[in-house]
Structures are given as structure tokens and as C-alpha cells.
Amino acid sequence: MINTLIVDDEPLALDVLETYIEKIADLKLVKRCTNALEALEVLQKEPIDLIFLDIQMPQITGIDFLKSLADPPLVIFTTAYPNYALEGFELDALDYLLKPISFDRFLKAVNRGVDQIKLQRARLSQAQAPEEGEDYFFVKADKKLVKVNYADILYIEGLKDYVIIRLELSRVITLQTMKSLEDKLPQQKFKRIHRSFIVNIGKIHAIIGNMVEVIEKGQPKHLPIGKNYRDELQELIDKSRL
């Protein structure tokens, strides 16, 4: 699933893009934003793969907003002004859609984005796949490199710029982001279920409503399932059901 964000100060444009996004099975709308500052808050909290970004907005233009992002997602500019096209492409925007946007033109841009994101994910997964037989990794903690066995991990909890790796008998605290650690973990063994939690799939004891249950030190521990991760977790569960 490709998480998308719409940033536009025109209600009609927001409605049109949301309607179009709902027609594409690969896309999931995370939020509609009316300005760049609101969009920045979403980017700091949620994983976003693709932004539909208006250019002419109050306070901060879409171009200035994109320039301010250190590691931006893919961007498709949406605007009524064709004179910004060159600058948009110089910022490596995926496409530049002129309003009013037809569905055919929208679909053409989205298909390029979907193909590019899927290719990036495949390359990342291949590059970071552990070597055959590898069942551990090292992280820096307490001024030393600590060996962590995949099989010992119950779940991983994010806390600002730190992550806490919860093991069956202990824990390891390391200075890095959830995203950076998630990218290094084998996807066949670990699943992100919330912006603050990654769970060892093999340690899931039960699914209870919007909670994942694991057993920590002999007691049930319930981890929340974020709404943006629920569908992918459900797909994983459905594949394993008898």
C-alpha cells in the first residue's frame, strides 16, 4: 500500500484528488492538509510515500515547502499555473498536473509513481535482506556494539530519536529512528504495526481488536495497531489463517 498526502488550500481540489485516490487500489490517503505547516506535522508522524502538492498556498508555497524537506517523498505538483513547471521538475518532482485535473492525466502520473515506489521497495528489500543463515545484528548501545538475536526480540518501541528493543529477558536502547531500524530488519520476520511499534511476527500471541498481544516476562503485553498499518497486518493474518 502506498501512503499518500494531499496538500492544497482549495476545498474543491482536495475533494477531487481524494475522489481520484479512492479509485486506485494501490493508494491510501493518510490525510488532507490545507497548508504546508499542517503537512509537515503529518510527515513527522506518519510514513508518507507520495504527496499531491499545490504550489500557490498561503504562508509557504509548495515549492518552498519541498525545498525545506531533507528527505522528501515523491511529489506530484498540482497547480493552476503552468509557469511553475520548469522549477517543479528541477526539484525532481515526479509530475506536474494542471488544474482542472482529469482522471486520465491523474492516473498516468500515479502509475509512474506506483511503479517507481515499488521498484525502490524491491531494491531496498533485496539490498537489506540478511545473508542466508544470518540470525542477528549489532547496534550501538552503552558505548559498545551489542549483538541482538532476531529470535530474542519481542517488539521494538520508538521514543523520539531512540528505540527500545524489547527482548525476552532484557532490553537494548539505541540512538536511531524507527524508520532506520525498520529498513534494516528482515521484512519476513518483523512487521510495523504502529508509528511507535514494530513486532516480531513470530512472537504475536493474539490479535484482540486493535491490539497485538505478545507475552512479555510471562504477562500479556498489548501493543496498539495504528490505522495506517491495519490493512497490511490484516493481509498478513489472512494468509496465515486456517
Side-chain angles (χ1 to χ4, degrees):
M1 190 65 68
I2 293 172
N3 289 338
T4 63
L5 182 67
I6 307 173
V7 190
D8 201 307
D9 63 331
E10 300 176 15
L12 179 59
L14 290 169
D15 291 341
V16 168
L17 289 171
E18 180 175 3
T19 300
Y20 287 174
I21 288 171
E22 290 174 347
K23 296 178 183 292
I24 311 298
D26 284 320
L27 301 186
K28 180 176 184 178
L29 179 61
V30 174
K31 192 168 183 179
R32 301 165 31 143
C33 299
T34 58
N35 59 70
L37 295 178
E38 185 181 354
L40 183 60
E41 290 184 5
V42 177
L43 289 175
Q44 291 172 341
K45 297 177 181 178
E46 304 288 350
I48 301 296
D49 303 300
L50 176 63
I51 303 178
F52 295 93
L53 181 61
D54 188 21
I55 291 179
Q56 287 283 20
M57 294 186 295
Q59 297 179 318
I60 303 175
T61 68
I63 287 176
D64 288 339
F65 174 60
L66 179 55
K67 288 179 178 178
S68 73
L69 300 178
D71 186 22
L74 283 182
V75 169
I76 296 176
F77 278 121
T78 60
T79 181
Y81 303 95
N83 51 303
Y84 290 107
L86 179 59
E87 188 172 4
F89 284 121
E90 287 176 347
L91 291 171
D92 294 326
L94 178 69
D95 211 329
Y96 189 98
L97 302 181
L98 283 175
K99 301 175 182 177
I101 302 168
S102 69
F103 181 71
D104 288 345
R105 184 67 181 87
F106 171 87
L107 184 60
K108 181 179 179 180
V110 165
N111 283 339
R112 289 179 58 206
V114 169
D115 290 344
Q116 187 168 327
I117 290 169
K118 287 184 176 180
L119 181 60
Q120 289 174 345
R121 289 177 176 175
R123 287 174 175 171
L124 182 63
S125 177
Q126 183 177 9
Q128 296 177 338
E131 297 179 3
E132 185 176 355
E134 185 177 337
D135 56 4
Y136 61 87
F137 63 99
F138 285 88
V139 293
K140 189 174 182 179
D142 296 328
K143 299 181 180 180
K144 58 187 176 182
L145 287 174
V146 178
K147 181 181 178 182
V148 179
N149 294 312
Y150 291 129
D152 293 338
I153 299 173
L154 292 174
Y155 62 94
I156 298 166
E157 181 178 0
L159 185 63
K160 292 186 178 180
D161 293 330
Y162 290 85
V163 295
I164 304 173
I165 303 172
R166 303 280 185 177
L167 308 174
E168 292 187 343
L169 300 176
S170 61
R171 69 178 186 176
V172 176
I173 302 176
T174 180
L175 178 61
Q176 60 181 292
T177 65
M178 284 285 280
K179 177 62 176 173
S180 65
L181 184 56
E182 180 185 15
D183 289 342
K184 298 171 186 175
L185 293 170
Q187 296 182 7
Q188 70 272 22
K189 295 182 179 180
F190 295 89
K191 185 68 178 174
R192 191 160 185 175
I193 60 170
H194 186 275
R195 62 187 178 90
S196 299
F197 291 99
I198 298 171
V199 68
N200 184 336
I201 298 170
K203 302 295 185 179
I204 295 177
H205 183 256
I207 307 291
I208 307 171
N210 291 326
M211 307 291 285
V212 166
E213 183 180 89
V214 297
I215 303 300
E216 185 174 10
K217 296 180 179 179
Q219 299 295 323
K221 172 72 175 182
H222 297 115
L223 311 176
I225 303 172
K227 63 179 181 179
N228 293 324
Y229 305 89
R230 193 175 302 142
D231 291 345
E232 292 186 8
L233 181 61
Q234 187 62 52
E235 289 178 9
L236 179 66
I237 294 169
D238 288 343
K239 291 178 182 179
S240 303
R241 291 179 65 178
L242 297 180

